[in-house]
Amino acid sequence: MPNRADFPGVLELLTHAVESVGGAEREGQVRMADAVGRAIRTGEHLAVQAGTGTGKSLAYLVPAIRHAVEKEATVVVSTATIALQRQLVDRDLPRLAKALKKPLGREPTFAILKGRRNYLCLHRLDSGAPDEPEDQQLFDPFAVSRLGKEVTRLREWSSDTETGDRDELVPGVSDQAWRQVSVTAKECLGASRCPIGTDCFAERSRAEAGKADVVVTNHALLAIDALQGYQVLPEHDLVIIDEAHDLVDRVTSVATGELTSGMVSAAARRCGKLVDEEVADQLLEASDGLALILDDLPSGRMDSLPQALTGAIPAVRDAAQRCLTALGKDRKEEVDEATARKLARSLLEEVHDTAVRLLEAFDDDKAQQRDVVWLTGDRFSTNPRPPALKVAPLGVAGLLRERVFNQHTTVLTSATLTLGGTFDTMARQWGLPPGGARVEKAPGAATDKAAPADSDDLDGPKWTGLDVGSPFDHKRNGILYLAKHLPPPGRDGLQPSTMDELAELIEAAGGRTLGLFSSMRAAKQATEEMRERLDLPILCQGDDSTGLLVQKFSEDARTCLFGTLSLWQGVDVPGPSLQLVVVDRIPFPRPDDPVSSARQRAVEARGGNGFLTVAATHAALLLAQGTGRLHRSVTDRGVVAILDSRLATARYGGFLRASLPPFWPTMDPKVARDALRRLDAAAPA
């Protein structure tokens, strides 16, 4: 290993790495790597917006690996998607490890770490899952037969797999089958007590992660590590959060609790043979009472606790507490009994703690509320779901500040972090002081000025915002067409004038269109009508797996692909197959969405602008992600067409437009169609 004094610098290592993997160094990549290295040295947090094509993974991995090797420390890299995890572990890190071996004096090591539920549990496989039907499908003989076949296949796979990682099982199995062979962290006996602990896949994965220089994980596990009272990730002093635009939603999801009558009755059955029958029966009675009441309540957000639940939820809480008391503490006992006790306690604690949280969620002062409660369930559909009470945090900024930013130097990066031209919006959601940052930008980047200081939060964590721009020349290669002449969208589906506009644009483009719709209903409506009006292949999300649809779309330039949310963020099709991105309407959250509507109300209760803070921010983030589908390589050209006139006419339109890549704007439909015809004519046959 090189002497500390001779240790190569970040930019020297970056140059060596880029040359070794056969790439070309980019200005934005160099600026980002230098900034990440500075953040590591100073301990000041960093938020970096780096457009597609910047090479941001190399820009943060090189300084991170350098730090890990020099300081003999562990660095955690967190992603939102499996696709990026695979890219890092299967491609980027193996190539970098080989490239940096010589200048660093040894080959850097890396590992992937997921939640315990993602690994096969050999003890559960050996002892069998508790006999608890969790949904009505298990009473269907065909479902039972399918489940049996899947579990048999899992048993066969257990003899072949070296990792026990669910993602390596191809084809996969249903969640129902996987639950039969896996455990949560709370259900696990622990390696020291488990009879198969020495062969445990999850423990082996954790052990490898503990020795690695770089540990790749996901936002969910990062959230669990922050939320739980025990350590999940190995000791680390640096966290790099890629796909940081998704961080708040992923952490919110992990922090969301659920209570159903099925959970309560399952908890009663689990402890049935371990406590007095009378105690377990009280919990079963509480489950029956809860089921009767939930069946009669309407779905949706609850602004106050319904009178009918004021007795039912405390009954569940108290009965669960009595069962926990009767179970007593863990003691030395046979493995089978210890396993049964652990499974019972895990579910009882979840039921009890969620009931407590539900009761504490309601506050007369709306500005002081911390949680939102709502009831889900669709009892009248073809695939009915039993009603479930859910409780989610109104914000996770405090959690992230206390358990992430106050504990570790943190780098957050994504192609989409500046909304309305500033980092402030995302900073507030993360728990960083808005306006308290030093903001730097590359020439021509989306951010055009530093935000004013926010005097209310000057004592918050220090951070820097950096926009390194994009290697794409958006103004020369992309047009943003705002269909100002169209009527505002209504509630009754796509209007005839919008359909006409869509057909004319697709015809001018010769296909090559990705249609991003705000609802599945709109996507299907557009699909049916375009199939009648145009002699072009129109694919719709749901016709096949999303991966196969994207593959067909990319292979045939004349094909169009229509869909909803997963396509806004999940399509990467460079080249002439995608030269037109159409957005039917501004993707505001649904007015009846319980979490966003409650967050909006809470902001207003504190005197803020709830619509701009919550709804417009949600829309801006999705619009930036969706319109970013157009440019996936430096040679890509095309048009982004927004068929919602409010983007051009409404007061909030300026905020939304400032969140988009800096395309050349026009409101003239002829300009957009003529550009598409020229691109179609110039594209290879």
Side-chain angles (χ1 to χ4, degrees):
M1 185 179 294
N3 247 308
R4 293 274 184 248
D6 299 332
F7 216 78
V10 168
L11 298 186
E12 180 187 343
L13 283 175
L14 178 65
T15 300
H16 180 81
V18 171
E19 288 174 354
S20 298
V21 299
E25 209 166 68
R26 300 152 197 168
E27 183 184 349
Q29 186 182 56
V30 172
R31 293 193 71 209
M32 179 175 173
D34 188 45
V36 173
R38 186 167 62 245
I40 293 170
R41 289 194 307 275
T42 64
E44 187 174 279
H45 307 303
L46 174 69
V48 187
Q49 176 162 285
T52 304
T54 302
K56 62 181 166 63
S57 58
L58 240 61
Y60 63 68
L61 285 175
V62 167
I65 289 172
R66 179 190 183 279
H67 169 72
V69 173
E70 183 186 21
K71 302 297 184 184
E72 296 181 357
T74 296
V75 173
V76 169
V77 177
S78 179
T79 78
T81 62
I82 291 174
L84 181 54
Q85 263 188 17
R86 289 189 188 281
Q87 177 192 314
L88 291 172
V89 173
D90 297 341
R91 192 186 75 184
D92 294 347
L93 281 165
R95 293 162 73 192
L96 259 183
K98 288 186 176 64
L100 298 181
K101 179 179 180 180
K102 186 174 180 181
L104 290 179
R106 70 168 174 85
E107 187 167 321
T109 58
F110 57 90
I112 187 167
L113 185 61
K114 303 176 184 179
R116 191 172 290 272
R117 190 57 127 171
N118 291 278
Y119 299 98
L120 185 78
C121 173
L122 294 171
H123 177 52
R124 169 67 70 94
L125 194 70
D126 183 55
S127 60
D131 183 20
E132 296 163 6
E134 294 184 20
D135 58 46
Q136 295 176 351
Q137 287 184 336
L138 285 188
F139 297 103
D140 176 350
F142 293 106
V144 172
S145 173
R146 185 179 67 248
L147 181 67
K149 289 176 182 175
E150 288 183 328
V151 172
T152 299
R153 199 171 130 241
L154 284 166
R155 288 185 178 281
E156 294 168 352
W157 177 67
S158 69
S159 303
D160 300 326
T161 179
E162 294 183 5
T163 65
D165 186 338
R166 181 180 181 179
D167 289 333
E168 293 184 10
L169 178 65
V170 179
V173 295
S174 65
D175 289 344
Q176 189 77 49
W178 187 256
R179 282 198 294 269
Q180 308 297 304
V181 298
S182 64
V183 295
T184 64
K186 287 186 176 180
E187 293 171 334
C188 176
L189 274 177
S192 61
R193 299 188 69 192
C194 178
I196 320 179
T198 53
D199 296 321
C200 176
F201 291 121
E203 289 296 324
R204 196 183 304 166
S205 178
R206 287 191 68 187
E208 288 176 9
K211 296 181 290 186
D213 296 312
V214 177
V215 174
V216 178
T217 188
N218 54 54
H219 295 350
L221 200 61
L222 187 71
I224 290 168
D225 189 67
L227 283 163
Q228 305 297 340
Y230 52 86
Q231 188 176 345
V232 177
L233 297 170
E235 285 289 341
H236 57 283
D237 61 355
L238 173 64
V239 180
I240 294 171
I241 300 174
D242 202 341
E243 300 178 310
H245 62 274
D246 261 346
L247 179 64
V248 169
D249 283 348
R250 301 299 172 115
V251 174
T252 300
S253 180
V254 168
T256 297
E258 179 177 286
L259 185 69
T260 68
S261 61
M263 285 173 58
V264 181
S265 59
R269 285 195 300 273
R270 282 192 184 184
C271 66
K273 295 178 181 178
L274 302 169
V275 302
D276 288 345
E277 186 177 347
E278 182 183 346
V279 176
D281 283 348
Q282 289 175 349
L283 189 57
L284 272 176
E285 289 170 10
S287 165
D288 292 340
L290 182 66
L292 287 170
I293 291 168
L294 293 185
D295 277 337
D296 287 338
L297 288 175
S299 297
R301 193 183 79 204
M302 294 179 174
D303 293 333
S304 59
L305 187 65
Q307 185 64 34
L309 287 175
T310 56
I313 296 179
V316 168
R317 175 199 62 195
D318 296 344
Q321 182 59 59
R322 283 192 287 271
C323 286
L324 283 167
T325 302
L327 268 182
K329 296 180 180 179
D330 285 337
R331 51 184 180 263
K332 290 183 179 179
E333 55 197 341
E334 292 296 320
V335 169
D336 288 349
E337 189 173 347
T339 301
R341 192 175 296 277
K342 190 81 173 180
L343 290 171
R345 178 174 287 106
S346 166
L347 192 51
L348 283 168
E349 286 177 347
E350 185 179 355
V351 165
H352 173 269
D353 294 350
T354 305
V356 169
R357 188 175 166 193
L358 284 164
L359 292 169
E360 293 177 348
F362 300 99
D363 194 308
D364 291 337
D365 184 352
K366 302 303 179 190
Q368 297 303 312
Q369 273 191 214
R370 295 176 178 269
D371 281 328
V372 55
V373 176
W374 72 101
L375 182 67
T376 66
D378 190 353
R379 297 178 286 278
F380 307 108
S381 72
T382 53
N383 185 23
R385 289 171 297 159
L389 280 168
K390 297 203 172 189
V391 54
L394 283 171
V396 295
L399 169 71
L400 289 173
R401 176 183 285 204
E402 181 185 346
R403 302 306 303 273
V404 178
F405 298 116
N406 287 349
Q407 306 288 332
H408 320 281
T409 302
T410 307
V411 175
L412 306 111
T413 185
S414 168
T416 312
L417 292 183
T418 60
L419 301 178
T422 165
F423 286 95
D424 279 9
T425 302
M426 299 301 292
R428 284 189 183 91
Q429 294 184 4
W430 295 330
L432 293 175
R438 193 162 44 82
V439 177
E440 304 172 6
K441 69 183 184 71
T447 45
D448 55 3
K449 63 180 186 299
D454 188 332
S455 58
D456 293 337
D457 201 10
L458 294 180
D459 293 330
K462 295 290 182 283
W463 65 285
T464 297
L466 172 65
D467 184 352
V468 300
S470 167
F472 305 148
D473 191 341
H474 290 95
K475 277 185 165 55
R476 288 177 61 88
N477 293 340
I479 293 174
L480 176 65
Y481 166 49
L482 305 177
K484 184 180 180 181
H485 63 284
L486 291 177
R491 294 184 177 181
D492 300 323
L494 299 173
Q495 301 178 62
S497 55
T498 303
M499 287 293 196
D500 292 341
E501 189 82 25
L502 179 61
E504 289 168 5
L505 287 165
I506 293 174
E507 199 164 29
R512 314 178 192 279
T513 302
L514 176 65
L516 303 176
F517 294 86
S518 54
S519 70
M520 204 62 229
R521 175 188 168 197
K524 288 180 177 178
Q525 181 190 352
T527 300
E528 290 171 9
E529 186 150 342
M530 292 305 110
R531 282 173 177 169
E532 289 181 8
R533 294 173 64 159
L534 301 173
D535 187 22
L536 292 165
I538 312 286
L539 305 176
C540 185
Q541 191 175 0
D543 290 347
D544 206 331
S545 72
T546 300
L548 284 175
L549 290 174
V550 172
Q551 184 180 337
K552 288 179 185 176
F553 173 58
S554 65
E555 289 173 351
D556 180 5
R558 295 295 170 201
T559 297
C560 303
L561 175 59
F562 294 173
T564 56
L565 190 60
S566 62
L567 299 188
W568 287 71
Q569 298 180 292
V571 175
D572 189 359
V573 178
S577 289
L578 202 175
Q579 294 186 333
L580 172 62
V581 175
V582 178
V583 175
D584 72 322
R585 65 189 298 159
I586 299 170
F588 292 120
R590 287 168 53 102
D592 60 354
D593 179 85
V595 178
S596 61
S597 62
R599 285 176 172 171
Q600 193 166 322
R601 186 187 60 180
V603 171
E604 289 163 357
R606 294 193 295 270
N609 185 327
F611 171 78
L612 198 62
T613 303
V614 179
T617 294
H618 175 275
L621 194 56
L622 268 180
L623 273 177
Q625 287 284 309
T627 56
R629 301 306 100 197
L630 182 66
H631 283 153
R632 311 309 292 174
S633 76
V634 292
T635 57
D636 286 350
R637 297 185 171 199
V639 173
V640 171
I642 312 289
L643 306 186
D644 187 336
S645 56
R646 294 174 297 176
L647 195 62
T649 60
R651 282 192 301 171
Y652 52 78
F655 170 78
L656 297 177
R657 293 194 302 274
S659 306
L660 304 181
F663 298 114
W664 185 81
T666 183
M667 297 181 191
D668 187 337
K670 186 176 184 302
V671 170
R673 290 196 295 267
D674 287 349
L676 288 168
R677 289 191 186 98
R678 287 193 298 273
L679 288 171
D680 181 38

